[in-house]
Amino acid sequence: MFAEDAQPLAAPHEALIRVEAFAPNRGETFLLEDPRPGVVPGKDVAGLVVQAAADGSGPPVGARVVGHPPSGGWAEYAAVPTHSLAVLPDDISAVRAAALPLAGITALRLLRVAGAVTGRRVLLTGASGGVGHYLTELAAAAGADLTAVTATAARGERLRERGAAAVVHAVADAPGPFDLVFESTGGADLPVALSKLVPGGTLIWFGQASRAPVTLNFFDILAGPQRAVIRHFHYAGAPYGEDLNTLVRLVGDGRLHPEIDRVADWSQTAEVLVDLRERRIRGKAVLTTGGVR
């Protein structure tokens, strides 16, 4: 359902972007259960600068950019802080760029938190989403021996191409032990993933895709890997421009490949959101507003 709203007023440190493509994230669909009045969702956008920031920062009018605003991206125009923009080269389309921000930034920052992964055995749950594809490719390129967990073979078919050493369809089937676990599903999967660690191994918990509570039994942990570490991770924290520039450079160099399962006109937003929520989309979905370059 579309609604008319006034064009956003950009703050002095923000550029006004004519949005050509945006990528909804599954977590954003849950915001619609109890929407805040006046708040337009949307964190992943790509388009054209039509009004430069008044404080002189950021790209000029006419620049093609990808951005990660706090909200407001599901619209024809979005005001984006200039510290969270990156200029696009001509060979990266708005569609590919829009698939980068939240998922790509999350993958980059997860790897920074994890430290060196070269030669380490890594388990990644919930691997068939946007973050999972980026994290698989980046970790494999850094030398990790990564096992990806996906619900079905169809959802995980591209992960081997992106560098996964193995793909399994249940955490229990993952042939551990692992030095590091990236855990994003929660529910019953997290305790099983935790049990797969080597002594002194680390589990980084960055999502709750199952939306099911996690129960940890102290005695199970006591009987499991000694000195296991559980770390909570949340990607958020502006500025995002440096990470966006890194992602754009990696895509341009052919070292990172956005996995875009669906591209649709934004008139199909409702259908795409339902499929995203029900996990019927592999990787990312991108919606276009017309006039995409």
Side-chain angles (χ1 to χ4, degrees):
M1 180 178 176
F2 288 88
E4 293 288 338
D5 199 359
Q7 184 170 294
L9 296 175
H13 68 291
E14 294 177 330
L16 185 65
I17 309 303
R18 177 164 61 79
V19 177
E20 296 177 340
F22 62 87
N25 295 286
R26 185 168 181 262
E28 291 173 311
T29 69
F30 302 129
L31 300 177
L32 304 179
E33 295 174 356
D34 185 22
R36 290 183 291 163
V39 175
V40 177
K43 288 176 169 285
D44 293 358
V45 301
L48 196 71
V49 176
V50 294
Q51 178 184 309
D55 66 1
S57 64
V61 170
R64 298 177 59 249
V65 294
V66 58
H68 192 52
S71 62
W74 298 358
E76 290 180 288
Y77 293 89
V80 184
T82 56
H83 59 53
S84 295
L85 286 171
V87 174
L88 295 173
D90 291 339
D91 59 349
I92 297 181
S93 69
V95 168
R96 292 177 75 202
L100 288 173
L102 190 149
I105 292 168
T106 299
L108 280 179
R109 293 184 175 187
L110 275 167
L111 284 171
R112 291 194 191 116
V113 167
V117 297
T118 304
R120 300 180 75 190
R121 297 197 67 199
V122 177
L123 178 65
L124 170 62
T125 68
S128 57
V131 175
H133 279 88
Y134 289 133
L135 189 54
T136 295
E137 188 166 19
L138 291 170
D145 180 351
L146 185 140
T147 295
V149 184
T150 71
T152 66
R155 287 180 62 80
E157 64 183 1
R158 296 293 292 276
L159 292 167
R160 283 190 181 276
E161 296 175 27
R162 298 291 176 247
V167 178
V168 299
H169 307 307
V171 177
D173 296 335
F178 297 95
D179 303 292
L180 174 67
V181 172
F182 292 112
E183 213 296 292
S184 67
T185 54
D189 280 350
L190 191 148
V192 179
L194 183 64
S195 73
K196 300 278 185 177
L197 284 171
V198 300
T202 298
L203 182 147
I204 301 177
W205 188 3
F206 71 98
Q208 187 87 350
S210 68
R211 306 194 78 196
V214 172
T215 299
L216 292 176
N217 185 308
F218 175 81
F219 295 103
D220 290 341
I221 296 175
L222 191 64
Q226 296 179 358
R227 306 182 311 281
V229 175
I230 300 175
R231 296 188 63 174
H232 169 257
F233 171 88
H234 184 35
Y235 90 100
Y240 300 106
E242 184 175 342
D243 285 340
L244 288 173
N245 276 310
T246 297
L247 294 167
V248 168
R249 175 174 54 82
L250 290 172
V251 172
D253 290 346
R255 292 189 287 162
L256 188 67
H257 301 82
E259 181 66 25
I260 302 173
D261 191 40
R262 189 176 308 176
V263 179
D265 183 81
W266 71 330
S267 61
Q268 300 177 46
T269 297
E271 295 94 321
V272 170
L273 292 181
V274 170
D275 286 344
L276 192 63
R277 184 186 178 94
E278 298 303 318
R279 304 177 82 172
R280 292 193 284 262
I281 290 175
R282 179 187 63 203
K284 299 290 294 181
V286 177
L287 295 156
T288 61
T289 63
V292 177
R293 291 174 57 190

